[in-house]
Amino acid sequence: MSQPRREQGPLLRFTKMHGLGNDFMVVDAISQPFRLRPEMIRDLADRHFGVGFDQLLVVEPPGLPDVDFRYRIFNADGSEVEQCGNGARCFARFVRDQRLTNKRVIRVQTAKGVIELKVNRDGSVRVNMGVPELNPPAIPFAAEQRKPVHTVEVDGQEVELTAVSMGNPHGVLVVADVDQAPVVTLGPRLERHPRFPARANIGFLQVLDQSHARLRVFERGSGETLACGSGACAAVVAGQLRGLLGQRVEVELRGGRLLIEWQGDGAPVMMEGPATTVFEGQLRLPAETSGRRRRPARAQRQRS
Ligand SMILES: N[C@H](CCC[C@H](N)C(=O)O)C(=O)O
């Protein structure tokens, strides 16, 4: 008996990109309609039944004067978030490659505010990630006062961490060796710890010297990623507050290196690094999503 023909939804064009292996599905929602539903994002994020990504980036027209674009960021679990460092660099390359702008300095509005990006001639991107937020209620982190190091109880053990927001919340632990760090066991426990009421990205920082560090990050809503740009910024802030790192640090993540600069209290954190396009594709969205797990039509790849 032939299968009933499922009414098909619209075709969606997208670009697959990554920043040091932290990977993204990027959608131009200016020149094509794109209605978002959390369950659809989770399906698209699936690395077997969908496109597969750590975050979905959706490019929209600006909502503020003196801003070039707005872009929305969604984790693999469908949650919308305020900031994505690696995503910001890929966004900047995307809007230029798609001829949505010819500017090299781009101002973009996110859920948390406006950031400024500069696309260098070699294709790398320098991002002003804004001023780090250290006041607990604004992170948010449950604590009586702002301190460089807080002690958090997890499963009967005491863990020391620095709480900082780069627009999104981070908890940073200092470890002797990132390769031996309990990222996949302690990471999820801290990501959802009650003292982080909005959950948090958990960084495991190994300091090599004042200007070199290694980092692994268990990301809120996506799990451990190969790199986390806002996490690298949070880690350098934490390292400086603890007197372990200088103002210009090369941070080595599993997927590669970022340059992070912070002049201290009140100054913005600057991040510089690569952005890579892997392929362009299109897929047919389901006509509707009934809330059950549906397998979006298999994504088609066109190597760019
Ligand atoms: N998982 C993060 C968003 C993505 C951040 C990361 N991919 C980066 O490069 O900063 C959060 O929930 O705040």
Side-chain angles (χ1 to χ4, degrees):
M1 185 174 94
S2 67
Q3 291 290 326
R5 183 171 167 66
R6 192 179 69 191
E7 189 193 335
Q8 289 201 324
L11 268 180
L12 178 73
R13 285 179 290 102
F14 66 89
T15 300
K16 190 74 183 357
M17 301 184 78
H18 74 83
L20 302 180
N22 178 201
D23 66 338
F24 308 104
M25 176 180 179
V26 192
V27 171
D28 163 7
I30 298 174
S31 52
Q32 59 182 341
F34 181 51
R35 203 163 68 85
L36 276 166
R37 291 181 293 274
E39 68 280 1
M40 181 174 82
I41 296 171
R42 286 190 290 274
D43 284 350
L44 290 172
D46 190 296
R47 294 191 183 280
H48 299 283
F49 300 122
V51 172
F53 52 75
D54 293 327
Q55 279 88 29
L56 167 68
L57 310 180
V58 181
V59 180
E60 298 182 342
L64 295 170
D66 188 29
V67 164
D68 300 299
F69 298 95
R70 175 183 178 208
Y71 96 112
R72 300 174 70 187
I73 307 152
F74 299 87
N75 284 320
D77 68 358
S79 56
E80 183 165 7
V81 294
E82 314 87 342
Q83 180 75 285
C84 182
N86 291 320
R89 300 198 313 276
C90 287
F91 156 82
R93 287 293 304 274
F94 175 80
V95 292
R96 283 177 53 86
D97 294 352
Q98 298 293 320
R99 308 258 187 280
L100 294 172
T101 183
N102 60 6
K103 290 184 175 181
R104 283 198 174 278
V105 177
I106 300 164
R107 287 172 54 77
V108 62
Q109 172 194 355
T110 70
K112 194 75 181 184
V114 176
I115 57 175
E116 187 166 285
L117 319 166
K118 180 176 182 291
V119 181
N120 299 319
R121 292 211 175 274
D122 67 358
S124 65
V125 184
R126 185 174 175 79
V127 184
N128 177 332
M129 292 287 286
V131 178
E133 177 59 69
L134 300 164
N135 292 315
I139 294 174
F141 178 69
E144 292 300 314
Q145 58 184 355
R146 167 183 162 174
K147 287 193 298 185
V149 182
H150 293 275
T151 301
V152 172
E153 177 147 347
V154 186
D155 300 333
Q157 68 177 83
E158 293 200 335
V159 173
E160 291 193 341
L161 58 79
T162 299
V164 52
S165 171
M166 290 306 307
N168 57 347
H170 292 265
V172 182
L173 291 71
V174 174
V175 296
D177 179 355
V178 289
D179 296 328
Q180 309 302 321
V183 178
V184 295
T185 50
L186 189 55
R189 308 287 298 145
L190 285 169
E191 179 214 1
R192 297 176 174 279
H193 197 280
R195 294 193 62 185
F196 286 110
R199 299 190 289 161
N201 303 281
I202 306 301
F204 296 80
L205 168 66
Q206 176 186 351
V207 175
L208 302 174
D209 59 42
Q210 282 276 317
S211 54
H212 295 87
R214 298 178 69 205
L215 179 70
R216 287 174 65 185
V217 182
F218 188 92
E219 285 200 27
R220 176 179 63 170
S222 294
E224 182 176 12
T225 56
L226 292 179
C228 179
S230 57
C233 297
V236 169
V237 171
Q240 279 195 35
L241 293 176
R242 298 178 67 156
L244 303 171
L245 289 174
Q247 294 189 344
R248 183 181 166 88
V249 182
E250 182 179 272
V251 179
E252 181 192 334
L253 300 117
R254 292 177 62 193
R257 290 182 169 83
L258 286 173
L259 176 64
I260 308 294
E261 293 168 303
W262 187 47
Q263 312 301 325
D265 241 3
V269 181
M270 304 304 292
M271 170 192 65
E272 193 156 350
T276 307
T277 294
V278 182
F279 66 86
E280 296 194 349
Q282 61 181 20
L283 60 82
R284 192 167 291 279
L285 294 173
E288 42 79 36
T289 303
S290 62
R292 284 179 294 107
R293 171 180 285 283
R294 280 174 174 274
R295 293 185 182 182
R298 287 183 67 79
Q300 298 145 11
R301 286 185 172 209
Q302 294 130 18
R303 284 249 169 238
S304 50

